Amino acid sequence: MLILTLEVVGAVFVRQLERQNLSTFKQQIELPSYVDNSLSEQLVRTNTKSANKQISQILSDVNNSNITEIRVFDSKGVIRGTSNVNNQSIVGEKTTDENVKNAIYNNRSYNQNVYDDSNNTRYYVSAVPLLNTSSSNNNVVGVLYIKANLESVYANINSITLIYLSAALVAIILGLFMAIVISRAITRPIDEMKKQTIRIARGDFSGQVHVYGNDELGQLAGAVNNLSVRVEEAQDSTEAERRRLDGVLTHMSDGVLATDRRGNVTIINETAADLLSTTPDEVRSKSILDVLDIRKDYTIRELLDNQDEVIIDLSSGNRELILHAYFSLIQRESGFISGLVCVLHDITEQQKVDRDRKQFVSNVSHELRTPLTSVRSYVEALTDGAWEDPDVAPGFLKVVQDETDRMIRMINDLLSLSRMDSGTSKLDLEYVNLNELFNYILNRFDMILKNENEDESSKKYSIDRVFTKKDLWVEVDTDKFTQVVDNLMNNAVKYSPDGGVITARLLETHNHVILSISDQGLGIPRADIPHVFDRFFRVDKARSRKQGGTGLGLAISKEVINMLGGQIWVDSVEGRGSTFYISLPYVPYEGDEWDDDSQNSK
């Protein structure tokens, strides 16, 4: 572009220079008007010889180095004079030059540049009509013919052209150098921006484009750097949202599945995979109908049209599982449905609680109906006249009182369980010497045993103690813990055979104390052991009711021990007796520290 521009400019410049120099040259070779007037006066004289001599004198007086030759022609085309002293022989000859003839006949000036092949010289030739100024008609009386050498003009033009070409060559070299420098200055930031955009496309936002200035490229480089930061922030935000979503899905207690619009699973969290006993990789790209095993009951179109709540029973022989499935659409702002979201909620425990509640109501109704029926029967008998029989009436009243007391105990036990379930039952915790407390409770049963031994008809049993010698100080609620031990001892006494031995143990393990009560009764069938602590559960229902049991003692005991942060369980072999264990948290204290605390409290 630079070379082409210089060539065009050079051509125009040389052309204009040639025109200007030729115009200046023409002005320089023009003769003064008085010369033209003098020549015109000589041409109109009748004395040709004298006039020619005078013309020759006038021409010799012209001092113009640029003019090669001057000729004067009369109106007939005859040469009347020439400035070339070596060519005076041509005077009197008639011209054959067409320009001279045209100037005479047309009264117009003619000029042109001619090239002389004989000496390789360029000339400027001018033919100017000479008018008779003395006449009012201004007739043409002759022609002034001027021939000037143009070599000096073109030599000057060539010299200037050479200077221009040299300057243009230098300008081209400098321009090329500057173009290389400028192009590198332009392409370098562009190349850096290209490399940075490639890195951004690959996810690498560490680089920065160097800003070389405040021009457009500098602003563009700053915009690329800003874009890199914004894209990185957007990607970090997206990645953070993805991790947050993954974290939410991972730690959700409910299972979540997402599908495409064809119903194929695309996302599943760990909870859903655990509920369905599968892995995320196994179910991806599978139909949600097959994953949830509902293909027989639903189609994808039905799930898309009606997002109903579905109860799914996936229970098997050794596992009970009931799921509540909530379906919702994944829908864009345009209304296009791109998939489904299914939230799985495990309602197995809820269903179990509902069944237990119904069973509880049924058990309470049954447990209350039996004594109420008995009381009603005896009251009707007394009403019918049995109260007048002194032998029968006291027995009937005793039965009514016993059944009433059993119902009161049952109601109190139910209220205690209700308070524990609702969390309104509070513990009065204190540190007690568990050895002394356990021994105190057993001493009461020893006293009962001593009193019953006087009655030969009562059942005989003995209590064997196996205690650690170390004092175990444990934080418990004394009243509630005593109630638990009473329940266990009462059961041991009830189910021990005549002459049996009840063994009470107390020992220390690492951070726990273990209390156990063993009997030598009939034991508990293996199938009933998991249900021993259920409410209203009885291994021997007839015997338990006969002895006045409510079926809530062990349930209350379990709730109390759980509130104390411990555990209770049973180990039994049918026909060989049962052993109930209580484990309570225990932090051993050094004797000196305990004594120091006691002194400080005093």
Side-chain angles (χ1 to χ4, degrees), residues 158-173:
N158 292 337
S159 177
I160 296 176
T161 302
L162 182 61
I163 295 174
Y164 173 80
L165 292 176
S166 301
L169 181 61
V170 174
I172 289 172
I173 295 174

Side-chain angles (χ1 to χ4, degrees), residues 11 47 79 133 148 184 216 229-231 259 416 436 479 558:
N47 188 353
I79 300 174
T133 58
R184 291 188 62 184
E216 290 80 0
V229 174
R230 295 292 181 87
V231 172
T259 73
S416 298
E436 295 182 358
D479 293 338
K558 181 179 180 181

Side-chain angles (χ1 to χ4, degrees), residues 253-255 275 322-326 343-348 350:
S253 59
D254 293 338
L275 290 175
I322 301 175
L323 301 177
H324 196 170
Y326 301 87
V343 179
L344 300 177
H345 181 60
D346 186 358
I347 59 172
T348 306
Q350 180 181 347

Side-chain angles (χ1 to χ4, degrees), residues 219-390:
Q219 295 174 4
L220 180 59
V224 171
N225 292 334
N226 188 31
L227 175 64
S228 175
V229 174
R230 295 292 181 87
V231 172
E232 183 178 11
E233 291 176 352
Q235 184 169 353
D236 290 342
S237 177
T238 303
E239 184 66 19
E241 289 296 330
R242 187 190 65 79
R243 289 195 298 268
R244 187 180 297 111
L245 178 60
D246 290 343
V248 170
L249 292 177
T250 301
H251 297 91
M252 281 184 65
S253 59
D254 293 338
V256 178
L257 297 93
T259 73
D260 56 20
R261 64 190 314 268
R262 295 181 179 86
N264 297 324
V265 176
T266 56
I267 297 175
I268 179 173
N269 65 348
E270 293 294 336
T271 304
D274 293 340
L275 290 175
L276 299 174
S277 300
T278 185
T279 61
D281 294 335
E282 290 180 358
V283 300
R284 284 195 180 96
S285 300
K286 288 186 177 180
S287 174
I288 193 172
L289 301 178
D290 297 327
V291 174
L292 299 180
D293 195 20
I294 57 174
R295 183 174 290 277
K296 295 180 181 179
D297 302 320
Y298 298 92
T299 63
I300 295 296
R301 175 56 61 185
E302 291 175 347
L303 295 179
L304 292 173
D305 294 339
N306 301 305
Q307 295 83 48
D308 295 330
E309 299 177 3
V310 180
I311 303 297
I312 304 173
D313 189 354
L314 299 178
S315 302
S316 58
N318 56 355
R319 181 191 183 195
E320 183 180 6
L321 179 63
I322 301 175
L323 301 177
H324 196 170
Y326 301 87
F327 292 93
S328 62
L329 298 177
I330 302 176
Q331 197 167 10
R332 301 176 185 173
E333 293 182 358
S334 61
F336 179 79
I337 299 174
S338 57
L340 278 172
V341 171
C342 176
V343 179
L344 300 177
H345 181 60
D346 186 358
I347 59 172
T348 306
E349 190 65 27
Q350 180 181 347
Q351 294 288 329
K352 183 179 179 182
V353 170
D354 291 341
R355 289 197 303 269
D356 290 344
R357 184 182 296 110
K358 294 177 182 178
Q359 184 66 29
F360 176 77
V361 173
S362 176
N363 289 336
V364 170
S365 301
H366 180 72
E367 293 293 335
L368 290 176
R369 184 173 62 249
T370 300
L372 286 173
T373 302
S374 177
V375 169
R376 179 181 179 181
S377 299
Y378 281 100
V379 169
E380 288 178 352
L382 290 171
T383 303
D384 291 340
W387 64 273
E388 296 178 351
D389 188 344

Side-chain angles (χ1 to χ4, degrees), residues 413-459:
D413 290 344
L414 289 173
L415 291 175
S416 298
L417 284 172
S418 177
R419 285 192 293 268
M420 292 178 187
D421 291 339
S422 62
T424 58
S425 178
K426 297 182 180 180
L427 296 176
D428 186 11
L429 297 176
E430 59 179 341
Y431 279 99
V432 298
N433 189 326
L434 199 60
N435 309 57
E436 295 182 358
L437 179 60
F438 195 14
N439 199 49
Y440 169 77
I441 298 171
L442 295 178
N443 287 338
R444 288 197 291 107
F445 280 89
D446 283 337
M447 183 62 67
I448 295 173
L449 176 61
K450 182 179 179 181
N451 294 333
E452 290 181 350
N453 285 338
E454 297 176 358
D455 185 2
E456 295 181 357
S457 62
S458 62
K459 183 171 59 176

